[in-house]
Amino acid sequence: MMTIEELHTNPAYQDALVDLLYQLADDDFIVAYRGSEWLGLAPHIEEDVAFSSISQDTMGHATMLYELLESIGEGDANALAHARKADERKNAILLEMVNGSGTYLQEPKYDWAFAVVRHYCYTLAKTIKMKSLQQSSFEPLAQLAVKINMELHYHLLHWKTWFTQLMKIPGESQERMVAAWDRVMKDMKGVLALGSYEEDLVKYNVMTNETQLMHSWMQEMQSLISNYHLPIEVRLKMNSGNGRLGEHSKDLEDALNTLSSVYRIDPTAAW
Amino acid sequence: MANMVSFDRLSEEEKHARFMERIAAGEKIEADDWMPEEYRVALIKLISMHGISEIMGALPEKEWVPKAPTLRRKLGIMAKVQDEMGHGQLLLRVAEDLMKPYGKNREDIMQDLFSGDLKFHNVFHMPAPTWGDAGLIGWLVDGAAIITQTNMLHASYGPYARALQRICAEEVFHAQHGEAIIMALTEGTQEQRAMVQDAFNRWWESLLMFFGPAQASTTGSSKQDVTIKYNIRTKTNEELRQDFFSKYIPRALSIGLQLPDSTMHFDEESKMWVYQQPDWNKFKQIIKNNGPKSKERLRLRQLSYHNNEWVREALSPMNKVV
């Protein structure tokens, strides 16, 4: 097992680990933001309560991961979350995409089908990653994964219920869900991608490889599709670019401007 | 059973007298109990307005959820706004039970909101343009809400009183969350301190209006007489406003804020705060959805209602998937 104190003894291990932690933290940070934009706009009040609870948990996971990066010596967690530029971010492009047209304050025309499909697909991927990370050679991350997994169980159940229900109902519901599914598939591979340090991550037993992650994800999804007789196929692609390598869309820049607007007034002030 | 039969045989006046005896004795009225029409109507109006205000109240803070300046503040405000939505849900369920005999449900509540028949609280029609406003809403708007709501903790209507127990407990955290933001800002840079004073000035009039006019004659109507008569609340609007002043004016002064009303003072003889009245005509306009942000916030709810129509349709009982 590797600890924070011992990390300096293996720079290659540390580089790979840090890259992975940025991926995990940035994914949660941006997807929690996209979730929080839905506040007050969900299909009904009960869902507003549930969805905002999930976004809050997810922002909590991002916080713990940025704090872990801070303890490794990457700098202040708040700066990591708010001050890094878009091209320094490692989140998957699928997670930064806008919820729909308009902004969260002006004329939001958000697509609930896209929200359900994106959040279900992401939560399933995160669950599989956290399962693998519970065996990680980096002890603090293995402990964090156990903690995160407890909440993820409920997130997954929540999104799975929406996903299967709306996907099954013929007519507009199914049409919208299938269209959202096709859109998500175009970039879902980017969520399961592990970036440039995959080899070292596997070599040092930090986590499993990309092929295994994709295999587990597809297997889970395939069994859901057959059990519920859903009219969709799994075709993982990465059309918009690889966020793990710092490739991003303008959507991320706009999101970061919003997320850091107060922080930037005075990054040295206590807020 | 024998009691129920005999109660049914009573005349309306006798039922009313029995009802008044029950609430005078401090008994709780439950959803299925007999209650005077006036009581039911007052409760529906009060609780549906309270519930929808919690929900509309999430909108001014919504802007600041992603913009909160640190990870901890982001988590804090996310938790707070989620609580508010939860209060809204809890209260609408209480209102729905009361509306059942009229064949009405949540759909009617939403339609009444859109048509302007169901009003939401004056404070939620106002702009919240800075992070200082986000802090001030938590500190003083939630602080004011605690004062009005603790006044109803022993309300004669059991389901409302029980909902308020939980709501007030959470509101205390919200006020602490707001106070923590305000304290950090007042201990911060000049720009941060200015942000708090600016927000305080902006919210002053709305905070005075929060408790409603002292007399019904000011705005033409007030439900305070009916709610006091039926032991739903105990204090008048003015008593609540005075309680608010007594609690918060010393605190505001102690953190270096200047009162926006320079004439305000505590009169030792009458033991009352003397202050300049807000413009109650403006108040009437605000709650008629003519406030600075009324239309924009209603538009957000209407848009989401419209955009999600297909989801409600899909979830209707006819489409139930096992």
Side-chain angles (χ1 to χ4, degrees), chain B residues 212-284:
Chain B
Q215 284 96 26
S217 55
T218 314
T219 51
S221 74
S222 166
K223 34 182 200 310
Q224 61 177 330
D225 299 339
V226 178
T227 47
I228 290 174
K229 176 170 99 181
Y230 286 118
N231 278 0
I232 296 167
R233 63 190 279 185
T234 50
K235 291 187 178 178
T236 65
N237 290 350
E238 191 54 39
E239 284 169 330
L240 294 172
R241 193 167 17 245
Q242 291 288 329
D243 287 350
F244 175 77
F245 291 147
S246 296
K247 182 169 177 187
Y248 287 104
I249 297 295
R251 291 192 192 185
L253 293 173
S254 76
I255 59 169
L257 286 175
Q258 281 194 329
L259 299 185
D261 176 356
S262 59
T263 68
M264 189 170 193
H265 62 279
F266 188 70
D267 183 64
E268 288 295 342
E269 215 165 283
S270 61
K271 301 282 174 215
M272 298 274 277
W273 291 90
V274 181
Y275 61 97
Q276 286 178 352
Q277 288 294 312
D279 179 352
W280 290 109
N281 283 324
K282 197 165 150 192
F283 172 78
K284 273 206 281 189

Side-chain angles (χ1 to χ4, degrees), chain A residues 150-168:
Chain A
M150 283 191 273
E151 291 179 339
L152 265 186
H153 171 76
Y154 298 99
H155 300 183
L156 191 65
L157 195 65
H158 180 88
W159 293 120
K160 184 181 165 186
T161 307
W162 272 110
F163 184 82
T164 48
Q165 182 119 348
L166 293 180
M167 199 61 108
K168 282 282 283 182

Side-chain angles (χ1 to χ4, degrees), chain A residues 111-118 120 159-169 171-184 230-232, chain B residues 310-311 314:
Chain A
D111 179 4
W112 185 244
F114 181 59
V116 168
V117 176
R118 171 161 68 175
Y120 180 55
W159 293 120
K160 184 181 165 186
T161 307
W162 272 110
F163 184 82
T164 48
Q165 182 119 348
L166 293 180
M167 199 61 108
K168 282 282 283 182
I169 296 165
E172 192 178 356
S173 177
Q174 194 171 71
E175 282 164 27
R176 282 173 178 268
M177 288 294 286
V178 171
W181 170 263
D182 291 342
R183 217 180 127 199
V184 167
L230 305 180
I232 47 174
Chain B
W310 69 271
V311 185

Side-chain angles (χ1 to χ4, degrees), chain A residues 59-224:
Chain A
M59 190 57 86
H61 302 164
T63 302
M64 293 192 285
L65 288 157
Y66 285 129
E67 284 171 352
L68 186 52
L69 279 160
E70 180 178 321
S71 63
I72 292 173
E74 286 293 299
D76 172 55
N78 283 313
L80 298 181
H82 295 94
R84 284 159 57 241
K85 295 194 184 74
D87 60 8
E88 297 170 61
R89 305 269 167 168
K90 298 286 164 71
N91 63 274
I93 290 187
L94 177 68
L95 309 179
E96 73 201 34
M97 290 176 178
V98 293
N99 289 311
S101 67
T103 71
Y104 75 107
L105 298 168
Q106 297 284 337
E107 296 297 301
K109 297 211 171 118
Y110 287 179
D111 179 4
W112 185 244
F114 181 59
V116 168
V117 176
R118 171 161 68 175
H119 282 271
Y120 180 55
C121 289
Y122 173 64
T123 310
L124 181 58
K126 188 174 162 185
T127 306
I128 291 164
K129 283 186 199 178
M130 288 300 149
K131 212 168 160 188
S132 159
L133 287 170
Q134 287 179 37
Q135 320 298 324
S136 177
S137 60
F138 186 54
E139 207 177 347
L141 185 55
Q143 287 168 3
L144 206 63
V146 173
K147 223 168 164 179
I148 289 175
N149 213 39
M150 283 191 273
E151 291 179 339
L152 265 186
H153 171 76
Y154 298 99
H155 300 183
L156 191 65
L157 195 65
H158 180 88
W159 293 120
K160 184 181 165 186
T161 307
W162 272 110
F163 184 82
T164 48
Q165 182 119 348
L166 293 180
M167 199 61 108
K168 282 282 283 182
I169 296 165
E172 192 178 356
S173 177
Q174 194 171 71
E175 282 164 27
R176 282 173 178 268
M177 288 294 286
V178 171
W181 170 263
D182 291 342
R183 217 180 127 199
V184 167
M185 279 302 102
K186 284 182 188 158
D187 282 290
M188 187 58 208
K189 198 173 175 186
V191 176
L192 296 157
L194 283 176
S196 358
Y197 295 87
E198 186 200 356
E199 218 171 286
D200 279 349
L201 289 173
V202 177
K203 179 174 155 194
Y204 297 120
N205 292 321
V206 179
M207 83 173 294
T208 188
N209 65 36
E210 214 172 271
T211 314
Q212 185 54 45
L213 281 181
M214 288 190 201
H215 177 73
S216 304
W217 191 91
M218 287 193 285
Q219 209 175 26
E220 288 279 341
M221 194 54 92
Q222 207 51 64
S223 85
L224 185 91

